[in-house]
Amino acid sequence: NMQFAVLGLGRFGISLVRELSRMGLDVLGVDSDPNKVNLVKDIATYAVEADSTDEQVLKTLGIRNFDVVVVAIGENVQSNILTTILLKDMGVPMVVAKAQNNLHGRVLEKIGTDLVIYPERDMAIRVAQSLVTKSVLDHINLSSEYSIVEMITPDLFVGKTLRESNIRERHQVSIIALKRGDEIIVNPTPDQSILAKDILVVLGKIKHLDKLSDL
Amino acid sequence: NMQFAVLGLGRFGISLVRELSRMGLDVLGVDSDPNKVNLVKDIATYAVEADSTDEQVLKTLGIRNFDVVVVAIGENVQSNILTTILLKDMGVPMVVAKAQNNLHGRVLEKIGTDLVIYPERDMAIRVAQSLVTKSVLDHINLSSEYSIVEMITPDLFVGKTLRESNIRERHQVSIIALKRGDEIIVNPTPDQSILAKDILVVLGKIKHLDKLSDL
Ligand SMILES: Nc1ncnc2c1ncn2[C@@H]1O[C@H](COP(=O)(O)OP(=O)(O)OP(=O)(O)O)[C@@H](O)[C@H]1O
Ligand SMILES: Nc1ncnc2c1ncn2[C@@H]1O[C@H](COP(=O)(O)OP(=O)(O)OP(=O)(O)O)[C@@H](O)[C@H]1O
């Protein structure tokens, strides 16, 4: 069972704790502000009031045993960077950090952050694009009619090619990609055969996707 | 030419100004903090130091003539809400506002905001999902190999059906949707004919997409 820690419980950190916990995962939430800690008491698996730049604190929390630690401290760029350095030094396998701006982001990359995130910038770009063009992709993503979902292959398709399963005609959806273990096959051809544990990426109307997952 | 105004130049507001301006659009940037105004002087079409809760100021700026106004004020929830109310009262056709949390968002919806955004929350949800499952969609979106793009129909395909153009075999990409005016056709069938001004939504390897847009 994957173990997550989120250091810094601003809007981003708190939403991350909420979503991970909703997905049924173990999440530790940490903030130096007791009010923030209080907000996640009932959502996080554990909520601790602490200063994440304190190496002793991180050791006490056993932070190196976590699979993923997210540094969601914002305005205090120095604390954000220092915390990140400590985490990498202590051997945390995956460190995700939120960057305040491009320069901060470059520093984070230089010090070995596994994933640097720019939440406000990335959302602004998506919002700008959806305000300017009625993007078809946004329509697919945001429309209440269509969706793109991943699902385990229904038994019905196992051992057949896409052409043999005739999915588009019979089920009115299209398989835009499939995943087999670590391999991802995008735009599979009609000759692509489907195996028992394949994960299908399916595009179609929600009512048709629902029917498919009932198979 | 669409006219945008962004009120509040925090990380989200500033990225929005940057992206809209990169797209070649007219953007007015407003902030009560002269340092923020200074940051956008060379990016925005106009940058003004002003308090967006001041109705007289909004009138002087001719804010009602803007097509889209984005309220990107953050911590000061009261100013965010007041600004939004003034904009709707003055008849701005599309008002977009950033919400600090769910309660703030509900108030914004009640007062007629056209689009309420939760940048930190929405990014946290996407990050949580991509950390937990090596999502095929993220792989497609984030992979340096594949992409999903929209493009104007190359002349080569005009007046033919998808089957006749044989796009998947000849060009190694798939058309997952097409847009004709306001109509969007998802999962077009092989019999779908393509017209001159159609916009195609194409999924494939970037090198193949590039070849396609050279047609
Ligand atoms: N050294 C630290 N140790 C633990 N928590 C910290 C530390 N420094 C800052 N924080 C916490 O990090 C949280 C997020 O920081 P801040 O509010 O500055 O960022 P933000 O970018 O505005 O956040 P968001 O945009 O996610 O709301 C705050 O709740 C703050 O108390
Ligand atoms: N009444 C106002 N008129 C104009 N600008 C304002 C007003 N109130 C706040 N602002 C500006 O709005 C900007 C964004 O607000 P703030 O920094 O509180 O939000 P934030 O949510 O932390 O922003 P972000 O997450 O986008 O960085 C600030 O630059 C601030 O000066």
Side-chain angles (χ1 to χ4, degrees):
Chain A
N1 207 15
M2 274 180 101
Q3 298 228 306
F4 291 81
V6 179
L7 314 180
L9 302 172
R11 291 160 300 187
F12 179 78
I14 230 181
S15 301
L16 196 52
V17 168
R18 198 167 277 142
E19 180 65 8
L20 291 169
S21 146
R22 186 197 68 81
M23 290 170 152
L25 298 156
D26 287 337
V27 198
L28 159 71
V30 177
D31 202 293
S32 46
D33 177 349
N35 295 322
K36 302 291 177 79
V37 177
N38 215 15
L39 283 175
V40 300
K41 265 217 184 71
D42 302 325
I43 323 170
T45 320
Y46 307 102
V48 171
E49 183 186 330
D51 180 347
S52 64
T53 60
D54 184 335
E55 190 169 7
Q56 197 47 54
V57 160
L58 295 180
K59 287 202 163 109
T60 308
L61 288 173
I63 208 79
R64 73 168 43 144
N65 300 322
F66 286 77
D67 300 288
V68 184
V69 181
V70 182
V71 183
I73 294 165
E75 289 184 18
N76 197 330
V77 169
Q78 210 151 310
S79 297
N80 172 304
I81 291 174
L82 183 50
T83 300
T84 301
I85 288 176
L86 289 173
L87 295 171
K88 287 315 290 178
D89 279 356
M90 297 175 80
V92 172
M94 176 145 194
V95 176
V96 179
K98 178 164 99 95
Q100 192 76 342
N101 53 52
N102 285 338
L103 185 52
H104 178 195
R106 273 157 56 197
V107 170
L108 288 172
E109 299 202 15
K110 283 229 179 291
I111 64 180
T113 309
D114 299 285
L115 178 64
V116 179
I117 303 171
Y118 302 82
E120 302 83 4
R121 182 197 73 177
D122 289 357
M123 273 302 279
I125 292 174
R126 294 176 77 203
V127 168
Q129 292 180 351
S130 73
L131 286 175
V132 173
T133 66
K134 190 151 169 284
S135 148
V136 180
L137 281 178
D138 278 350
H139 176 89
I140 296 175
N141 284 326
L142 308 174
S143 145
S144 51
E145 237 193 335
Y146 287 97
S147 189
I148 297 179
V149 299
E150 294 184 21
M151 61 172 72
I152 308 232
T153 297
D155 294 337
L156 187 59
F157 303 149
V158 175
K160 298 188 183 138
T161 65
L162 283 175
R163 194 196 319 271
E164 287 167 340
S165 294
N166 205 8
I167 294 175
R168 190 180 295 229
E169 272 201 44
R170 273 197 208 134
H171 307 281
Q172 287 114 31
V173 299
S174 71
I175 310 293
I176 61 174
L178 74 94
K179 181 174 163 191
R180 186 169 294 167
D182 280 336
E183 193 199 351
I184 299 180
I185 303 164
V186 183
N187 280 345
T189 64
D191 302 323
Q192 178 70 48
S193 59
I194 316 238
L195 306 180
K197 295 217 197 83
D198 286 349
I199 294 186
L200 307 179
V201 183
V202 196
L203 164 63
K205 285 193 182 182
I206 291 178
K207 56 183 182 182
H208 296 138
L209 295 173
D210 287 345
K211 285 218 197 93
L212 200 69
S213 51
D214 290 341
L215 287 179
Chain B
N1 209 14
M2 273 179 103
Q3 299 228 307
F4 291 82
V6 179
L7 314 180
L9 302 172
R11 291 160 300 188
F12 179 77
I14 230 181
S15 301
L16 198 50
V17 168
R18 199 167 277 141
E19 180 65 7
L20 292 169
S21 145
R22 186 197 70 79
M23 290 169 151
L25 298 156
D26 288 336
V27 197
L28 159 72
V30 177
D31 202 293
S32 47
D33 177 348
N35 294 322
K36 302 290 178 81
V37 176
N38 215 15
L39 284 176
V40 300
K41 265 217 183 72
D42 302 324
I43 323 170
T45 320
Y46 306 102
V48 171
E49 183 186 331
D51 180 348
S52 64
T53 60
D54 184 335
E55 191 168 5
Q56 197 47 56
V57 161
L58 294 180
K59 286 202 165 112
T60 308
L61 289 172
I63 208 79
R64 72 168 44 144
N65 299 323
F66 285 78
D67 300 289
V68 183
V69 181
V70 181
V71 183
I73 294 164
E75 288 184 19
N76 196 329
V77 171
Q78 210 151 311
S79 296
N80 172 303
I81 291 175
L82 183 50
T83 301
T84 302
I85 288 176
L86 289 174
L87 295 171
K88 287 316 286 177
D89 279 356
M90 297 173 80
V92 171
M94 174 142 198
V95 176
V96 179
K98 179 165 99 97
Q100 193 77 341
N101 55 52
N102 285 338
L103 185 51
H104 178 193
R106 273 158 56 198
V107 171
L108 288 172
E109 299 202 16
K110 284 230 179 291
I111 63 181
T113 309
D114 298 284
L115 177 64
V116 179
I117 302 172
Y118 302 82
E120 303 82 5
R121 181 197 75 176
D122 288 357
M123 272 302 281
I125 292 174
R126 295 176 77 203
V127 169
Q129 293 180 351
S130 73
L131 287 175
V132 173
T133 66
K134 190 149 168 287
S135 149
V136 180
L137 281 177
D138 278 350
H139 175 90
I140 296 174
N141 285 326
L142 308 175
S143 146
S144 50
E145 238 193 332
Y146 287 96
S147 190
I148 296 180
V149 300
E150 295 185 21
M151 61 172 72
I152 308 233
T153 297
D155 294 337
L156 186 61
F157 303 148
V158 174
K160 298 189 184 136
T161 64
L162 283 176
R163 194 194 321 269
E164 289 167 340
S165 294
N166 205 9
I167 294 175
R168 191 179 293 228
E169 272 202 44
R170 271 196 210 135
H171 306 282
Q172 286 114 28
V173 300
S174 71
I175 311 292
I176 62 175
L178 73 94
K179 182 175 165 188
R180 185 170 293 168
D182 280 337
E183 194 200 349
I184 299 180
I185 303 163
V186 183
N187 279 346
T189 65
D191 302 320
Q192 178 69 49
S193 58
I194 313 237
L195 305 181
K197 296 214 197 86
D198 286 349
I199 294 187
L200 307 179
V201 184
V202 196
L203 163 64
K205 285 195 182 181
I206 291 179
K207 57 184 180 181
H208 296 138
L209 295 173
D210 287 346
K211 284 217 197 95
L212 200 67
S213 50
D214 289 340
L215 287 180

